[in-house]
Amino acid sequence: MSLVKIYDTTLRDGTQAEDISFLVEDKVRIAHKLDEFGVHYIEGGWPGSNPKDVAFFKDIKKEKLSQAKIAAFGSTRRAKITPDKDQNIITLIQAQPDVVTIFGKTWDFHVREALRISLDENLELIFDSLEYLKAHAPEVFYDAEHFFDGYKANPEYAIKTLKAAEEAKVDCIILCDTNGGTMPFDLADIIKDVKKHIKTPLGIHAHNDSECAVANSLMAVSLGIVQVQGTINGFGERCGNANLCSIIPAMQLKMHKESVPGEKLKKLRELSRYVYELANFSPSKHQPYVGNSAFAHKGGVHVSAIQRHPETYEHLRPELVGNSTRVLVSDLSGRANILAKAEEFQINLDSKDPVTLEILDNIKEMENRGYQFEGAEASFELLMKRALGTHKKFFSVIGFRVIDEKRHEDQKMISEATIMVKVGGKVEHTAAEGNGPVNALDNAIRKALEKFYPRLKEVKLLDYKVRVLPAGQGTASAIRVLIESGDKQSRWGTVGVSDNIIDASYQALIDCIEFKLHKDEESEASRK
Ligand SMILES: CC(=O)SCCNC(=O)CCNC(=O)[C@H](O)C(C)(C)COP(=O)(O)OP(=O)(O)OC[C@H]1O[C@@H](n2cnc3c(N)ncnc32)[C@H](O)[C@@H]1OP(=O)(O)O
Ligand SMILES: CC(=O)C(=O)O
């Protein structure tokens, strides 16, 4: 296997994405995670840009990384001054990184319009900035900004800019598809030509504006490029950068190119989620390789086939990238989905058992009314238990009332709920307030039941989604409420549907509590 080095720019180009800003401490934590994963280079930021990036380079010096090199980013010098007087270049050296990477212009249009200098002067900027940095930094990379657009406009000049970098003896020249508009077939032709003129090792840095960043990076790798730049989860300016969470497994598992150590690939999903968490973003469900849906099967035909052989509908084993197969239950299910789910919940079912068909019919009928079990596996498990007669009634709700009130036009709305429950022979009547009617109802249900089941205090409501479903002819719209809850051990989803939002929320809340009580009782029984 030949080695392709991974240059991660999540902490620099990733932060150029709308809504992403990492604290210095977060940047240091992500750097550790990338280092553990086996990334070769971590671009920490642009020290000439802001004090936070200066602080990162200071702080990371105190940390012990196992193998990754830290890179600082900047640009070629300004026109009319020498590199030793250029503040941006001075700060790059002062940051004392293992690698300095600077970008320069390769597109004649940019030289004229953005820098407003002559084409020859730009060649001087590139050469003497890099030559100076080579004398002051252990390793120097050159990002040829807009290389593919520059080549398309003026190939001779674009190659001249690379030659200026080569003469300065840089360690790697990275061809950048900065505007992200290059197609993989054009990129391949251009790289083949570059290789005729340039002997310095080449890298690729692709943006995703035409959804080709991963394809372009892989194409470049297939043509012998030795460094791939990208970000975790594809974060980056505009539509993002090349997504390393797709590039790394594709290179290792499909192209047999080594990048990070093979055993680290199993940590890919964990790395992806870690970066989402620190970026304060919800993970993308449908992200290839690492997303929750990447190996989730919904169609009955698919589920039946993967149970016979997973490769029928999976392009690789999900465990290789730290993910797992999931079976979804919906109105597109067949018996195979129900049986797979039953197995997951350790419930014994047989495909010939009439209960299997009863559950299947029930689901299809309920989905027709607006229920959705894909995100509500806890409600589905309770449904199976009810059909099998293994459902335990821990409590019953005698009734509840929710009041929304505005006592004065200047005052905030007040929500209050009262509920009457029966546990064993005891009736409990409680009231609670909340910052909305559903919150008040949730508080009242728990307050009433916590007395009997203290472990309900551990349950947290993590997410609440309401969807108004399209009305049928002559009927009112139905409302679907999906609730995600969790305790210290796990998270679970429940669903409720009604033409009344409080009733839909009530159903989902009751399922949430019932699921927790079943779960705790079962885990206690298995410990005994
Ligand atoms: C393709 C990329 O992703 S490159 C990275 C882009 N990232 C960023 O821009 C984030 C960090 N940037 C910053 O903090 C600021 O833009 C700074 C500190 C770098 C510069 O700020 P300012 O001095 O106020 O300049 P401003 O941002 O308005 O304009 C950019 C300047 O850089 C110059 N410039 C742009 N590219 C280059 C280059 N390759 N070499 C030299 N100068 C360059 C422009 O000509 C312009 O200078 P001028 O206004 O003196 O003509
Ligand atoms: C260098 C860089 O970030 C780009 O060209 O996109």
Side-chain angles (χ1 to χ4, degrees), residues 256-455:
H256 307 294
K257 299 269 182 193
E258 192 190 335
S259 57
V260 299
E263 74 279 3
K264 298 285 182 182
L265 217 49
K266 291 197 181 74
K267 299 273 178 191
L268 187 68
R269 181 174 144 96
E270 184 186 314
L271 172 67
S272 159
R273 294 180 93 77
Y274 187 84
V275 174
Y276 272 124
E277 193 64 41
L278 293 198
N280 205 13
F281 269 35
S282 299
S284 158
K285 251 188 171 179
H286 303 285
Q287 190 170 327
Y289 298 97
V290 294
N292 269 355
S293 302
F295 301 93
H297 305 279
K298 182 164 165 182
V301 170
H302 294 210
V303 175
S304 150
I306 59 149
Q307 283 176 336
R308 290 170 190 175
H309 201 303
E311 278 172 34
T312 49
Y313 285 99
E314 286 179 349
H315 68 119
L316 48 80
R317 294 302 305 134
E319 296 75 28
L320 293 171
V321 288
N323 210 339
S324 52
T325 298
R326 289 174 58 231
V327 170
L328 307 177
V329 175
S330 72
D331 55 349
L332 300 178
S333 296
R335 275 168 304 150
N337 300 59
I338 306 300
L339 294 174
K341 268 297 176 223
E343 199 181 320
E344 201 178 307
F345 299 137
Q346 289 157 8
I347 293 173
N348 272 332
L349 265 190
D350 188 305
S351 71
K352 294 190 189 74
D353 191 330
V355 173
T356 309
L357 281 178
E358 187 192 320
I359 294 172
L360 195 55
D361 288 346
N362 220 344
I363 287 163
K364 295 202 179 202
E365 188 272 320
M366 288 175 85
E367 290 240 353
N368 193 36
R369 282 194 280 135
Y371 282 84
Q372 195 185 56
F373 291 99
E374 287 162 56
E377 297 190 333
S379 287
F380 176 69
E381 189 178 336
L382 292 170
L383 183 147
M384 275 208 282
K385 286 196 158 98
R386 283 178 200 121
L388 288 162
T390 55
H391 175 264
K392 179 171 168 186
K393 200 138 180 69
F394 289 91
F395 61 92
S396 54
V397 176
I398 300 170
F400 71 86
R401 183 170 59 186
V402 180
I403 303 168
D404 261 350
E405 198 182 353
K406 200 171 184 69
R407 290 187 183 144
H408 189 273
E409 62 177 356
D410 296 338
Q411 286 182 2
K412 275 173 54 177
M413 289 286 292
I414 298 171
S415 301
E416 191 189 88
T418 51
I419 190 161
M420 206 186 278
V421 295
K422 195 168 178 185
V423 182
K426 286 198 179 129
V427 173
E428 181 72 20
H429 191 182
T430 53
E433 285 187 344
N435 54 21
V438 175
N439 183 238
L441 180 60
D442 183 30
N443 291 340
I445 297 173
R446 286 159 194 258
K447 202 168 153 192
L449 291 169
E450 271 168 19
K451 214 173 179 181
F452 305 96
Y453 305 111
R455 287 188 65 178

Side-chain angles (χ1 to χ4, degrees), residues 107-126:
W107 191 357
D108 55 359
F109 162 68
H110 251 265
V111 178
R112 280 193 295 266
E113 297 300 326
L115 294 188
R116 299 196 170 153
I117 58 174
S118 74
L119 296 186
D120 283 344
E121 196 176 353
N122 180 49
L123 296 178
E124 285 166 24
L125 244 68
I126 297 170

Side-chain angles (χ1 to χ4, degrees), residues 12-13 16 73 103 143-146 176-178 205 207 229 241:
R12 196 276 299 174
D13 220 342
Q16 287 177 219
F73 181 82
F103 75 97
D143 277 358
E145 195 196 16
H146 294 112
C176 301
D177 185 29
T178 306
H205 175 117
H207 276 264
Q229 299 198 348
N241 282 60

